[in-house]
Amino acid sequence: MPINIAIVDDHIMVREGLIQLLELDGDIKVVGQAGDGVQCLDLLKKVNVDVMLLDINMPVMNGLEVLKIMRERNDNTKVIVLTIHNEVEYLLKAVDIGINGYMLKDSGSNELKKAIYSVRAGEIYIQPKLSPLLNSKLLNRNEDQKKINNLTKREIEVLRLLAEGMFNKEIASRLDISERTVKNHVSNIFKKITVADRTQAAVFAIRNNLIIV
């Protein structure tokens, strides 16, 4: 039984090229294509898709937005992000939302087919050259989370306000505590998250989504 594939990319030539490439494989069948996120979600209502090749940069609704909606709807379609972005932040966001595969568009045809067969079988396929970047980022994130877990509720409150640019006196007024107490909290925060100054603390808070910027 062939693997039903949908191709979602805003470039017609990319879609047509992938269709020609994949349909040379007798076990793969392209059952639909879409040029933007809205078309993609509409397509999923009409056809049965086993594996979707999804671009990130698209008009109307980007690939990560589409993926988020799919997962919120409990759509279990396997999704391989196929993109030009090799930045680890894009990869990390895609992993957080729930991808099954992540590949760059300069990948070879054999590697793409390998990814399709892998995710169809229930595996996660990250292009090998991207794995070290992801593993390093996840390790750093785990270390950050341990540091956050060591902070008290009050220290997190102080860190958030500090990251918003407030001085100790302003933080004290906002939290209705003494400026001396704020100073002690700031000192403890610096030690627990291993930073040397307020700027580094603010970067830590933003990086870990403790405040919205």
Side-chain angles (χ1 to χ4, degrees), residues 117-134:
Y117 284 112
S118 295
V119 302
R120 181 67 176 87
E123 300 173 9
I124 300 294
Y125 189 92
I126 304 297
Q127 191 167 354
K129 70 179 182 180
L130 296 175
S131 294
L133 295 175
L134 178 62

Side-chain angles (χ1 to χ4, degrees), residues 60 76 82 111 142 168 181 187:
V60 185
N76 294 318
L82 195 58
E111 187 170 15
N142 289 337
N168 288 357
T181 298
S187 177

Side-chain angles (χ1 to χ4, degrees), residues 196-211:
D197 55 41
R198 300 174 83 91
T199 299
Q200 290 178 6
V203 170
F204 178 92
I206 294 169
R207 183 174 73 230
N208 289 283
N209 299 314
L210 294 180
I211 66 170

Side-chain angles (χ1 to χ4, degrees), residues 81-136:
V81 168
L82 195 58
T83 180
I84 61 171
H85 294 294
N86 61 359
E87 292 90 346
V88 70
E89 292 301 332
Y90 281 100
L91 173 55
L92 200 58
K93 287 179 181 178
V95 169
D96 284 342
I97 298 172
I99 56 164
N100 304 95
Y102 194 100
M103 298 185 64
L104 301 179
K105 286 185 176 180
D106 62 1
S107 304
S109 59
N110 288 335
E111 187 170 15
L112 177 57
K113 290 177 182 179
K114 180 181 179 181
I116 290 172
Y117 284 112
S118 295
V119 302
R120 181 67 176 87
E123 300 173 9
I124 300 294
Y125 189 92
I126 304 297
Q127 191 167 354
K129 70 179 182 180
L130 296 175
S131 294
L133 295 175
L134 178 62
N135 292 337
S136 174

